Amino acid sequence: MLPQSPPHVSFVPQAAPMPEVTWLKDGLPLPKRIVTSTTEGLAQLLIPVASNSDSGLYTVRLRSLQGKEATHNFRLKVAAYPLAPGPICLQENVPGTVTAEWEPSPDEAGDMPLYYTVLTRSSGHGPWREVASRVHTNRFTLLGVLPGHEYYFRVVAKNELGASDPSDTSQPWCLPRQQARGTAKAPGPREPNLSQKPWFLVGLRPHLLPQGCECCMSCAVRGWPRPQVTWFKDDQSLEGNPAVYSTNVLGVCSLVIPSVTPEDSGQYKVVAENTLGQAVSTTTLIVTGKGATLAVCLPPGALACLSAPG
C-alpha cells in the first residue's frame, strides 16, 4: 500500500545551541533539486517530485560548535507500478495446448519483486477471464484448447503497489476445425503409432519458486492403450493428497500445487503405464523462503518529506 503521509525520521536533540546540519545521499552531497532547511530546531529534507533515482541511503549529520558529531542513517526507496510486459508470442508445442511467451517487463530486473497474471477471452470484445496468477516466468501453457475457438491473450505485470498496463495479442489463436465427412481428403489414422508403450513427448522441467506461489508441473505422454498416469514425490504416491491436484487432458498431464511451501521441495516424478510397459519423467522443485526488506516506498511524483529535529 502507498503511505498516506510523507515519512519522517526523527531523534531528540542533545546539543545547544543549534548544531550545524549536513545531509548526504549515498555518502555524497545531495542533488541540487532536493531542498533542505533548518528552522526553529527542525531540520527538513524535501524532495518535490520523487523519482527512482532518489532511492538510496540518506545521512543527516549534526556537528556542534565544540566539534562533536552525531549521525543518523535511513534508507529511502522510491517504487512505482511496473512497466508493461513486451509482445506476446503464441505457439503450439503440444497438441491441444497453446503456449504464450512474452518479453519481460523492464522492471523485472529491479529491486521490487514482480509476477505476471495471464488472462484470455474468446472474442475481440468479450470479457477477460483470469487463467493464471502469480506467474514468475515469462511463459504460460493453456490446456484443453478446442478446435474452431478463438483465444485472445493478455499479460499484466504486478508488484506490491499494483498492476502495469496490459500487453495483448494482436491476433487470436485458433485451431482449424476437423475436416467434415465426405470431403475428398482421405482420413488419416486416428491414433498414430498404435499399440506402443508409453513415451514422453515433453518431459518434466525443474522449478525454482518462492514460497506461496502456484506450481504447475506439466508433461505430454503418448502411448496406446492410453497410459495410466501416477504422480510421486520422493517416491511416495500423491494419490489422494488434498494439497495437490492433477489433470490429464488428451495426454497433457499436469500436477498443480496451489501454494508451495519449503516442505514441497523435493524430487517429483510421473509414471505412465499401459499393458506394453511404462515411462518415467523426473524433476526437482526447490521452494525458497520469503525475504524481508526495510524500505520506504513512494510512487514517482510523490512528495517525500524527511524531518529530523535538530
Side-chain angles (χ1 to χ4, degrees), residues 264-288:
D264 293 315
S265 297
Q267 297 291 326
Y268 287 76
K269 71 177 179 180
V270 56
V271 179
E273 295 181 283
N274 65 11
T275 56
L276 300 178
Q278 73 171 21
V280 179
S281 181
T282 62
T283 189
T284 302
L285 169 62
I286 299 176
V287 180
T288 61

Side-chain angles (χ1 to χ4, degrees), residues 126-138:
W128 289 101
R129 179 176 64 93
E130 183 178 301
V131 293
S133 63
R134 306 195 73 85
V135 177
H136 289 264
T137 62
N138 302 125

Side-chain angles (χ1 to χ4, degrees), residues 32-73:
K32 293 183 179 181
R33 63 186 185 82
I34 298 181
V35 180
T36 62
S37 63
T38 304
T39 56
E40 299 180 358
L42 181 67
Q44 286 189 324
L45 178 147
L46 181 66
I47 305 177
V49 180
S51 65
N52 291 335
S53 63
D54 294 317
S55 299
L57 181 66
Y58 286 76
T59 301
V60 56
R61 179 185 298 160
L62 304 180
R63 183 181 179 88
S64 68
L65 296 178
Q66 292 77 25
K68 295 184 178 181
E69 290 189 356
T71 61
H72 182 76
N73 299 318

Side-chain angles (χ1 to χ4, degrees), residues 183-300:
T183 58
K185 185 177 179 180
R190 179 173 296 179
E191 281 285 348
N193 300 323
L194 295 180
S195 299
Q196 60 176 324
K197 66 179 183 180
W199 60 282
F200 283 97
L201 181 65
V202 178
L204 296 175
R205 301 172 64 180
H207 292 262
L208 174 63
L209 296 173
Q211 180 177 347
C213 293
E214 179 184 85
C215 177
C216 180
M217 305 180 191
S218 298
C219 60
V221 64
R222 291 286 184 87
W224 189 262
R226 288 185 179 175
Q228 174 73 29
V229 175
T230 308
W231 291 87
F232 296 84
K233 176 183 181 290
D234 297 329
D235 292 325
Q236 299 294 318
S237 175
L238 295 176
E239 289 290 334
N241 189 327
V244 302
Y245 66 89
S246 60
T247 60
N248 186 347
V249 180
L250 300 176
V252 179
C253 308
S254 299
L255 178 73
V256 179
I257 307 174
S259 180
V260 297
T261 66
E263 288 74 20
D264 293 315
S265 297
Q267 297 291 326
Y268 287 76
K269 71 177 179 180
V270 56
V271 179
E273 295 181 283
N274 65 11
T275 56
L276 300 178
Q278 73 171 21
V280 179
S281 181
T282 62
T283 189
T284 302
L285 169 62
I286 299 176
V287 180
T288 61
K290 291 184 176 179
T293 180
L294 296 176
V296 179
C297 296
L298 296 175

Side-chain angles (χ1 to χ4, degrees), residues 174-186:
C174 182
L175 292 176
R177 293 184 182 272
Q178 294 180 349
Q179 194 166 7
R181 295 181 180 179
T183 58
K185 185 177 179 180

